[in-house]
Amino acid sequence: EDRDHPGKVFLFGKIKNPQNGQYESCCVIVQNIERVMFVIPKLESADESGRPKSNADKVNDIYFELQKIQKRDYKSIKSWKCKKVTKDYAFELPMAHGQMECLKVKYSAAYPPLSPNLKGESFSHIFGTGVTCLERFIVKKRLMGPCWMRVRNPLSGEARFKNSWCKHELLIEDMSDVISPHQEIDPEDEVTDARCLLTKESPPLTV
């Protein structure tokens, strides 16, 4: 991971040259990886009449409060995307376990993360503030060690701009264009089955 340029991850491996059948070194640079955080609403929240708020109202309150916080304390964050999602929680914090509705916040890693201690009138916790782009990539792609990966829509890095000593260097502008054998695949995606990568023969190990 390039700490000086957040949102960029380097993958090193081998690709098979179809012209000579040999495996050659390759660096795949995945760009534009975004920060993703989950904002958890407070359990007890009431409206002006004292009645408990619905989950939808709680998440809406988070959205509007975060907008105010962003304009006041995080002016460098120029834009972000938010949506309501359902997540499971089963860890040590004193909060309800099981499924819960929360607000998913996503924005460019070029902008700073929100404070892990940030709390508000409508929310109690924010998860994912300290997650690095490399960690997010590994978890999203469900990587559990060396494996074959498929890349789509690669851009070839010109020699004068190369970032590595590998023979081949490819730029990927969207993380979804990197397919691993263990990740969840969208049924409407052109690549509907990545499990075929599990049976692909590994390249020979050279030292």
Side-chain angles (χ1 to χ4, degrees):
E1 181 174 355
D2 188 348
R3 297 297 178 89
D4 294 330
H5 301 87
K8 184 183 295 186
V9 167
F10 295 83
L11 307 176
F12 296 92
K14 292 185 177 183
I15 58 174
K16 190 173 185 178
N17 188 329
Q19 297 180 346
N20 56 24
Q22 299 296 312
Y23 289 98
E24 298 172 346
S25 63
C26 179
C27 174
V28 177
I29 304 173
V30 186
Q31 303 184 114
N32 305 318
I33 299 178
E34 296 177 305
R35 298 189 191 278
V36 175
M37 284 157 279
F38 299 93
V39 189
I40 310 301
K42 287 186 174 179
L43 291 179
E44 298 180 0
S45 182
D47 58 20
E48 295 179 353
S49 63
R51 292 178 299 182
K53 289 186 177 181
S54 67
N55 290 334
D57 288 337
K58 290 180 182 179
V59 174
N60 286 337
D61 288 345
I62 294 174
Y63 173 78
F64 290 116
E65 185 174 5
L66 280 181
Q67 293 285 67
K68 294 179 182 179
I69 292 174
Q70 179 266 326
K71 292 177 181 178
R72 185 187 68 217
D73 302 327
Y74 295 91
K75 295 180 181 179
S76 60
I77 301 178
K78 302 304 181 183
S79 64
W80 59 23
K81 294 175 283 187
C82 303
K83 72 174 183 178
K84 182 178 68 174
V85 296
T86 300
K87 291 293 180 179
D88 292 302
Y89 183 78
F91 297 99
E92 72 280 359
L93 292 178
M95 52 188 292
H97 288 190
Q99 285 194 340
M100 65 177 69
E101 290 185 338
C102 59
L103 186 69
K104 180 179 180 180
V105 180
K106 182 165 64 172
Y107 59 88
S108 170
Y111 302 142
L114 301 178
S115 169
N117 300 318
L118 182 63
K119 298 184 186 296
E121 295 180 1
S122 60
F123 60 93
S124 58
H125 298 88
I126 301 181
F127 293 122
T129 58
V131 174
T132 66
C133 292
L134 178 59
E135 181 181 353
R136 179 166 183 254
F137 181 85
I138 291 173
V139 172
K140 184 71 174 178
K141 299 302 176 180
R142 296 185 175 181
L143 299 180
M144 293 172 278
C147 65
W148 282 107
M149 304 185 76
R150 179 176 294 164
V151 297
R152 302 176 300 182
N153 306 316
L155 302 175
S156 179
E158 297 184 21
R160 64 179 181 276
F161 297 126
K162 288 186 69 174
N163 294 270
S164 71
W165 293 101
C166 294
K167 187 168 185 178
H168 304 279
E169 190 167 287
L170 304 175
L171 301 178
I172 303 295
E173 295 187 331
D174 190 332
M175 187 171 69
S176 64
D177 284 330
V178 180
I179 311 298
S180 81
H182 303 288
Q183 74 178 76
E184 293 182 358
I185 303 296
D186 188 336
E188 298 181 359
D189 201 298
E190 294 179 1
V191 182
T192 57
D193 189 3
R195 288 183 293 274
C196 62
L197 297 173
L198 290 171
T199 60
K200 190 175 179 66
E201 181 183 358
S202 299
L205 176 64
T206 56
V207 180

